[in-house]
Amino acid sequence: MENSVIIILLFFSCYQHTQQLIPLPDFIHPCSELNDECFTQATLDAIPGVVRGIPEAGIPPLDPLYLDKNITMALPGNVKMTFHNGKLLGLSTCVPSKVSSRREKRTFVFDIQCNFTIKGHYSIVGRILLFNLNTDGNAKIKIWNQKIHLEVLEKVVKNDKGEGHYKINSYKYKADYGTDLKLNLTNLFRGSPEISANILSVLNSNSQLVAQEFGGPILDYAIDYAMNVTQKFFDAYTYDQISHVPLTDDFFEED
Ligand SMILES: *[C@@H]1O[C@H](CO)[C@@H](O)[C@H](O)[C@H]1NC(C)=O
Ligand SMILES: *[C@@H]1O[C@H](CO)[C@@H](O)[C@H](O)[C@H]1NC(C)=O
Ligand SMILES: *[C@@H]1O[C@H](CO)[C@@H](O)[C@H](O)[C@H]1NC(C)=O
Ligand SMILES: *[C@@H]1O[C@H](CO)[C@@H](O)[C@H](O)[C@H]1NC(C)=O
């Protein structure tokens, strides 16, 4: 009698245990080997679905991504520009060219390219060409083929139920700001479309600088946000759900 109670309890706890796992979305394709091709393909398969959001894992839609901070930048010649109410479109266009695991260093390395459009409201104060500007309007910047090299250091931590979960320790990234970029600002020089166009072309001829000053903080934000989302994903799904590569015992760290 006692035995059967224990068996029933055991059964229940196992049952509840499996019940609590959130089913893995069908666009997540776990790899069985540490193989660049598999990781690259799996990342390619995962991006559109993750970017649409996974409500059961607490992941909101990511395209567009709304920026909840203001960006201020200094451009040459004492020009100050601020950008607010911004949103970043294009995370769904990101395509990995290579994803690899350096397990001995607990590191995943992503090389990714994206096409981004950044929209928002700008204000500008300063002098460009011969004109004093003190104006504001809508800003739109298009960046083609933004290359991102991202290294994520992570470990697997066992929770009190004995399930392993990835935990991101740290990350760093490098972005290659190409020149494939176009900035458009409305209402730059009130009353003269020609002067506005001239000023714009001056800004666009400094596209590298604009990309860095403007795109840099936005990319910092977007990647930090994406890393937070990735951690949420790792918290929602166990290591065994998202990876079929066996872990050796020394890989685990107790939480
Ligand atoms: C961002 O800038 C706008 C317009 O200048 C301002 O109204 C808002 O308070 C600023 N927000 C923050 C968080 O600084
Ligand atoms: C970016 O846009 C260009 C031009 O439309 C296209 O050829 C390229 O494949 C796109 N790249 C990505 C990563 O979406
Ligand atoms: C900037 O945007 C305005 C409004 O959308 C458009 O009329 C104009 O042609 C654009 N200018 C450039 C240089 O793309
Ligand atoms: C990411 O999460 C950290 C810690 O919760 C938080 O401080 C930070 O603001 C988040 N980043 C973004 C871009 O939301």
Side-chain angles (χ1 to χ4, degrees), residues 68-70 82-85 121 123:
D68 72 358
K69 68 170 188 182
N70 290 356
T82 56
F83 180 71
H84 53 99
N85 268 339
H121 200 85
S123 55

Side-chain angles (χ1 to χ4, degrees), residues 78-239:
N78 210 8
V79 177
K80 200 180 130 202
M81 183 162 161
T82 56
F83 180 71
H84 53 99
N85 268 339
K87 59 181 176 180
L88 173 77
L89 300 102
L91 279 175
S92 58
T93 70
C94 295
V95 172
S97 53
K98 186 171 167 197
V99 179
S100 46
S101 162
R102 297 186 191 149
R103 182 154 278 199
E104 70 295 349
K105 289 187 180 160
R106 310 283 195 263
T107 302
F108 272 99
V109 182
F110 298 85
D111 282 293
I112 292 188
Q113 279 197 36
C114 313
N115 285 336
F116 288 130
T117 303
I118 297 160
K119 288 183 179 172
H121 200 85
Y122 80 93
S123 55
I124 204 165
V125 179
R127 201 174 161 82
I128 303 180
L129 298 174
L130 297 171
F131 305 100
N132 286 318
L133 298 180
N134 184 353
T135 184
D136 66 282
N138 295 320
K140 179 174 160 185
I141 183 167
K142 250 202 95 108
I143 304 172
W144 286 273
N145 299 314
Q146 169 79 68
K147 291 198 180 94
I148 298 166
H149 175 87
L150 172 68
E151 297 187 8
V152 184
L153 189 68
E154 53 205 0
K155 59 183 176 183
V156 178
V157 174
K158 253 187 207 173
N159 65 13
D160 50 9
K161 285 182 262 171
E163 300 159 343
H165 284 269
Y166 268 125
K167 196 159 179 58
I168 298 175
N169 273 352
S170 63
Y171 70 87
K172 57 181 179 185
Y173 86 92
K174 272 193 298 207
D176 165 23
Y177 299 102
T179 47
D180 224 356
L181 172 143
K182 197 173 157 203
L183 174 69
N184 192 354
L185 305 170
T186 65
N187 200 33
L188 200 45
F189 196 81
R190 281 171 239 264
S192 174
E194 281 125 74
I195 294 172
S196 294
N198 279 337
I199 295 171
L200 253 189
S201 76
V202 168
L203 289 172
N204 274 307
S205 67
N206 285 299
S207 63
Q208 193 80 22
L209 187 73
V210 172
Q212 209 154 329
E213 292 276 323
F214 199 54
I218 292 172
L219 211 52
D220 282 349
Y221 182 93
I223 290 178
D224 199 51
Y225 197 96
M227 289 294 99
N228 285 355
V229 161
T230 306
Q231 184 60 59
K232 263 194 187 159
F233 180 84
F234 290 156
D235 292 342
Y237 303 103
T238 66
Y239 178 87

